[in-house]
Amino acid sequence: MRSEGVSAVDVHAGKTVARSRIGVAIGVVLALSFAACSSSPSGAYPIYKPGDAGTTTPIGPSTIGGNPDVSLGMPSGMVTVTIVAPAANTNGLGTTVPLDLEAVVTIVGGTDVVDPQSVTATLTLKDTSTVLAKVPLVGPTGTTGDHYLGKLPVTGLKTGTYTITVTAKSSAGVTGSATREVTVDAGPLITVLSPLPGQHVKGSIVVLVAIDAGAAPPVKNVQAQIGAMPVALKETATPGLYRAVFDLTLPLPLDGEQLFVVSADDSNLRTGQVKFTFVVDLTGPTITNTTPVAGTIVGGIIRIGANITDDAGLNESTLQVLVGDNKTTQFRLPLTPDAAGHYSAVFDTNNLTKCGLKMPAVCIVRPSISFRAADNLGNESTVAYEIAVDNFPPIADLQPPKLRVWKLDEGTRCSIEFDPLDFKDAFDPFSHPGDAPNDQCVVPQLFDLRARIQDDGNSLVSGIKQIPISTVDEDATAAYILDTVAIMGVAQPLVVDTDGDGFCDDVNPKLEPTTAPLTGPKQVLKVRMKPVPPGGKGDYFPPHYTLPKQSPLPSGCLQGRDTDAPLQLCRLGPQPTIAISYAGLPSIWAIEPIAPADPNYCFGSQLDTRANNILPPANPTAAATGWKCIAVVTADKAGNRSTSAPIRVYLPDYDLGGAKSWCPAVPASAGPPPSCRGTYNRATGVVTSTPCMTRGFGTGEICYEGDCGYPPIL
């Protein structure tokens, strides 16, 4: 089995395998092969592998030609590194192209081999340990198979002395390294004092640059440009300080982001350069998310605001909003920050020239609001648009006039007249005591309680086409019933004027509203009202035009020619055939429940005087003890409040003393009806009997298919 002239020592120490990992592997394979060929363990020699601690560990028997005990041992030798490039004493390196690296890495005095992946070069500033760059060297290459090559990036390095370190390892983990010092000439040190990176500028700017040639003076070839336009820098009386005035508007105005470049050479012709962008800003602040939005209907106190931003910084002293009133009056409101980038102001629209509730009405309906802002460069921005003002309250009427509706049917067909709250004036045979009462009616224990309520806008202004309405606020609409019209012998009004304009707008503050049955003389019953959904049709049935209490048709109206009478809204008792609307919104309001599908409640419910402890007079012969005041108090969503004209009803007894018709005559013993209206002085807290005025719906109204418009003041 033994080959002549070949020994285990030859296999492991021969020069033919000392430089190659493959050679070592072949040697181990041969040794294992020899072990496999041995037929007897007697006289076998152990085979060794390198240990983690540098020792040898037997891994099996060996009969390599009967040789004496031999150890394969650890790979041995020292890693040596020699830097070929850059050469020693390399000075004045530039920073525009990577630095070529070359190193020779060998194993000296042993059998180990170099790990090619371990050969790296690092760059540090002299006498520091911070690594500025680290790159691998590729190899081995060259005629001797021990050269490694690479490129070291030097862009951005400052002038100074740097240390290059090349490190390598053997396959056994032995490390070797070499260093080389080089000097870098990055060209002149350039410091731009003006403009600054990202700065916003406009008009003319002063370009100011400090240039230091460093170790290789003097400074040469100073150049600068903004965009494609050269900047003529001149050295000032201060050495190394260069200045120029640059007009950003010539020959053409610059706008937006601009690239600024300045460069200079030293005596080694190494170039220093600074490059960045700044912004020529000719645009004012950005104004977005304005409130209220254009066309919004507002009233009362509002908040006006917007998001305002500008990269150049805001001049907050310029932030304001103008609210237009007329040519001589402008409301200028400073905008103050209330959130990040958001500014606002509070404004009371009642300060605008307000529409009066009497004709003629000269007022502001559609004021403009104009946001103004400027940045720190003086660039200004404006955003302006119109909003609409509603400072008219709704109109509420417990006794609205009769009206007609019309439709197109080969001409203008007008319906019969009808009371929008019930049938009591249209058909005498169907007038019952439980119908909605008018002023100075005698009422039974239960009666309908309905009102016509429509929001009104600044409708009295000449030429107006679209009337801004904020719509009726359901939560602020209720009927109030005053049972005792005199407290301690002094008559108390139910509704009063509280703001001094002469019109009723609220319940007497001396009274105590309650939703429970009345228990005291100061209490007034409050009953919530809700809208009745529009529905039904007008009455165009020819026989009904001759019924009692029908007025002649207005000029231009044709009599209807329907072949059948319209269905009533509800089957229970006399009800109208139509629930009118305005602007598509409900006009009729009633007390709850209101259930269109339920014939008992499709037009609202009734007020039960007995259930609410509203009492008939204890002595029917005593004057005025049976009079009750009823009024509706309402408001729109802009906060404009008003009341209906109060109606005075008389409750002689819960069963009307046997009366069978609607609104029988009030007995003489009832005495004169109370006023139910007064005036409240906020300053003194005194209620007087000076009656306030109310608004109602006009007569002779004709509504298109049940949708009624904006009524005039009565």
Side-chain angles (χ1 to χ4, degrees):
M1 293 289 294
R2 184 171 181 228
S3 299
E4 197 66 41
V6 178
S7 68
V9 174
D10 293 329
V11 171
H12 291 284
K15 296 292 185 179
T16 58
V17 296
R19 292 178 178 271
S20 171
R21 289 181 176 177
I22 297 175
V24 175
I26 293 173
V28 174
V29 171
L30 288 174
L32 293 174
S33 299
F34 291 148
C37 292
S38 174
S39 60
S40 171
S42 175
Y45 298 99
I47 298 175
Y48 292 84
K49 70 174 183 179
D52 291 340
T55 62
T56 56
T57 304
I59 61 173
S62 174
T63 57
I64 303 176
N67 282 342
D69 215 3
V70 175
S71 171
L72 296 180
M74 287 288 292
S76 60
M78 179 188 301
V79 177
T80 64
V81 179
T82 302
I83 297 177
V84 178
N89 300 319
T90 298
N91 296 314
L93 290 173
T95 59
T96 57
V97 295
L99 180 62
D100 289 328
L101 296 178
E102 182 179 0
V104 175
V105 184
T106 59
I107 302 294
V108 177
T111 63
D112 206 349
V113 294
V114 174
D115 179 359
Q117 296 183 353
S118 71
V119 184
T120 58
T122 59
L123 179 71
T124 60
L125 185 65
K126 182 181 179 181
D127 298 329
T128 68
S129 60
T130 301
V131 175
L132 303 177
K134 183 176 181 179
V135 295
L137 300 186
V138 179
T141 186
T143 56
T144 56
D146 50 14
H147 283 243
Y148 292 81
L149 306 175
K151 289 184 178 293
L152 187 66
V154 292
T155 302
L157 293 181
K158 296 181 180 179
T159 299
T161 302
Y162 294 83
T163 301
I164 299 171
T165 303
V166 177
T167 304
K169 291 183 180 181
S170 69
S171 62
V174 178
T175 301
S177 65
T179 62
R180 171 75 33 92
E181 287 188 358
V182 296
T183 63
V184 171
D185 181 359
L189 176 63
I190 300 175
T191 304
V192 180
L193 304 177
S194 175
L196 300 177
Q199 182 181 6
H200 286 241
V201 297
K202 66 179 293 188
S204 295
I205 61 171
V206 175
V207 179
L208 197 60
V209 180
I211 305 177
D212 182 358
V219 172
K220 300 179 179 181
N221 302 325
V222 176
Q223 296 181 0
Q225 64 184 50
I226 294 175
M229 301 173 65
V231 179
L233 287 173
K234 301 293 184 181
E235 190 170 16
T236 66
T238 302
L241 186 63
Y242 294 78
R243 183 179 185 275
V245 177
F246 188 84
D247 190 343
L248 297 168
T249 65
L250 296 174
L252 294 174
L254 296 179
D255 189 18
E257 194 173 55
Q258 306 296 324
L259 178 65
F260 176 73
V261 181
V262 58
S263 63
D265 296 339
D266 60 15
S267 61
N268 293 329
L269 297 183
R270 299 299 185 189
T271 301
Q273 185 182 77
V274 172
K275 180 187 299 185
F276 60 80
T277 60
F278 66 93
V279 179
V280 177
D281 188 348
L282 304 178
T283 305
T286 300
I287 303 173
T288 58
N289 298 328
T290 56
T291 55
V293 299
T296 299
I297 300 170
V298 300
I301 297 175
I302 62 173
R303 181 172 290 276
I304 305 173
N307 288 338
I308 306 177
T309 58
D310 195 290
D311 291 339
L314 293 173
N315 181 352
E316 293 198 353
S317 66
T318 67
L319 306 186
Q320 59 183 316
V321 61
L322 276 64
V323 182
D325 193 347
N326 54 48
K327 293 182 179 180
T328 59
T329 303
Q330 292 276 335
F331 292 94
R332 291 180 177 268
L333 310 175
L335 294 169
T336 57
D338 52 17
H342 192 271
Y343 299 81
S344 68
V346 174
F347 179 67
D348 188 349
T349 60
N350 290 312
N351 290 327
L352 296 168
T353 302
K354 190 174 181 180
C355 288
L357 296 178
K358 297 180 181 179
M359 290 292 283
V362 178
C363 61
I364 301 301
V365 180
R366 300 187 182 278
S368 63
I369 57 176
S370 175
F371 293 88
R372 307 291 179 89
D375 61 20
N376 287 329
L377 299 175
N379 298 310
E380 296 182 347
S381 292
T382 301
V383 172
Y385 53 85
E386 284 187 352
I387 58 175
V389 173
D390 176 7
N391 51 28
F392 263 39
I395 296 176
D397 202 334
L398 286 164
Q399 187 180 325
K402 292 181 286 186
L403 53 81
R404 302 176 191 267
V405 295
W406 67 278
K407 64 180 179 179
L408 289 173
D409 179 12
E410 295 183 356
T412 301
R413 304 284 175 176
C414 295
S415 74
I416 67 169
E417 276 187 318
F418 64 95
D419 186 319
L421 303 185
D422 53 34
F423 267 174
K424 59 180 176 285
D425 289 326
F427 305 103
D428 287 344
F430 297 102
S431 293
H432 292 278
D435 288 353
N438 284 346
D439 186 40
Q440 301 187 50
C441 271
V442 172
V443 294
Q445 174 185 335
L446 284 91
F447 55 87
D448 297 337
L449 188 55
R450 305 186 189 105
R452 180 180 176 185
I453 305 175
Q454 296 180 190
D455 191 22
D456 194 12
N458 297 352
S459 58
L460 303 181
V461 178
S462 176
I464 192 168
K465 291 183 177 180
Q466 296 175 322
I467 302 172
I469 57 171
S470 54
T471 70
V472 177
D473 184 354
E474 290 189 19
D475 295 332
T477 301
Y480 292 82
I481 300 94
L482 178 62
D483 179 37
T484 305
V485 298
I487 301 174
M488 302 296 290
V490 178
Q492 288 291 324
L494 173 58
V495 292
V496 293
D497 168 27
T498 66
D499 59 11
D501 67 353
F503 284 84
C504 306
D505 54 45
D506 214 339
V507 174
N508 179 359
K510 300 296 184 180
L511 301 177
E512 300 172 355
T514 178
T515 57
L518 302 177
T519 59
K522 291 186 179 182
Q523 289 185 334
V524 58
L525 181 67
K526 177 181 178 181
V527 182
R528 185 171 66 176
M529 302 192 81
K530 291 292 182 179
V532 176
K537 295 182 178 180
D539 189 344
Y540 299 92
F541 189 48
H544 289 172
Y545 285 87
T546 59
L547 289 173
K549 299 186 180 180
Q550 278 294 306
S551 301
L553 284 172
S555 175
C557 274
L558 299 177
Q559 178 178 298
R561 56 181 184 176
D562 288 1
T563 56
D564 294 296
L567 296 176
Q568 295 181 6
L569 288 178
C570 306
R571 293 198 304 270
L572 182 66
Q575 303 288 349
T577 64
I578 185 170
I580 64 173
S581 62
Y582 75 106
L585 302 170
S587 290
I588 307 303
W589 293 62
I591 61 175
E592 298 176 293
I594 299 170
D598 188 334
N600 296 308
Y601 300 108
C602 67
F603 213 51
S605 187
Q606 290 187 299
L607 175 71
D608 189 332
T609 56
R610 189 168 192 171
N612 289 286
N613 203 29
I614 298 172
L615 302 174
N619 180 2
T621 62
T625 54
W627 285 108
K628 317 299 177 186
C629 294
I630 304 175
V632 170
V633 178
T634 186
D636 61 21
K637 292 179 181 177
N640 301 302
R641 298 180 64 82
S642 67
T643 79
S644 70
I647 60 172
R648 288 78 51 91
V649 299
Y650 188 73
L651 179 65
D653 194 358
Y654 288 132
D655 64 1
L656 277 186
K660 302 300 181 182
S661 63
W662 173 79
C663 196
V666 178
S669 61
S675 168
C676 300
R677 312 187 204 196
T679 299
Y680 174 68
N681 189 313
R682 289 181 178 177
T684 63
V686 174
V687 174
T688 66
S689 60
T690 303
C692 53
M693 297 181 290
T694 57
R695 296 187 302 151
F697 294 90
T699 59
E701 189 176 0
I702 305 176
C703 306
Y704 176 63
E705 294 190 345
D707 198 71
C708 300
Y710 299 92
I713 292 176
L714 281 180

